[in-house]
Amino acid sequence: MYTIKELRQQQYDYHLRNERFSDLNDWRKSPYTFLKARFYMNLSAVLVRFLLMTGISPNTVTIVYIFLGVAGGVLLAL
């Protein structure tokens, strides 16, 4: 099973070392994107680790996400 450190390193390797995401490394050009990217990468590593420990399948996560999206749309409509 992956540790949070390994999951985080995979995220950083993919996003920060890929030329397609070159703006993520430039603090001066885009400080908001710089901080947001790191926050989301760290948060996703913790969330993936939690989901791996619980054994929840990706399909279950998708169904919950769809349900929450529909519920949010209904609440906004009210």
Side-chain angles (χ1 to χ4, degrees):
M1 180 161 315
Y2 291 107
T3 64
I4 292 176
K5 184 177 180 179
E6 292 169 339
L7 291 168
R8 186 179 302 133
Q9 189 61 42
Q10 287 178 0
Q11 290 282 336
Y12 277 84
D13 287 343
Y14 178 74
H15 290 290
L16 298 182
R17 289 170 180 75
N18 191 339
E19 292 197 19
R20 191 174 88 191
F21 303 109
S22 62
D23 291 345
L24 298 180
N25 285 325
D26 193 2
W27 166 260
R28 291 178 189 252
K29 183 177 179 183
S30 183
Y32 175 72
T33 303
F34 180 86
L35 292 174
K36 181 180 73 167
R38 278 150 182 78
F39 174 75
Y40 285 143
M41 284 187 276
N42 289 320
L43 183 64
S44 69
V46 172
L47 182 62
V48 167
R49 173 72 174 151
F50 172 74
L51 291 173
L52 284 172
M53 289 183 347
T54 61
I56 296 173
S57 73
N59 289 338
T60 305
V61 174
T62 302
I63 291 169
V64 169
Y65 183 74
I66 291 169
F67 174 73
L68 290 174
V70 170
V74 169
L75 290 174
L76 284 173
L78 295 175

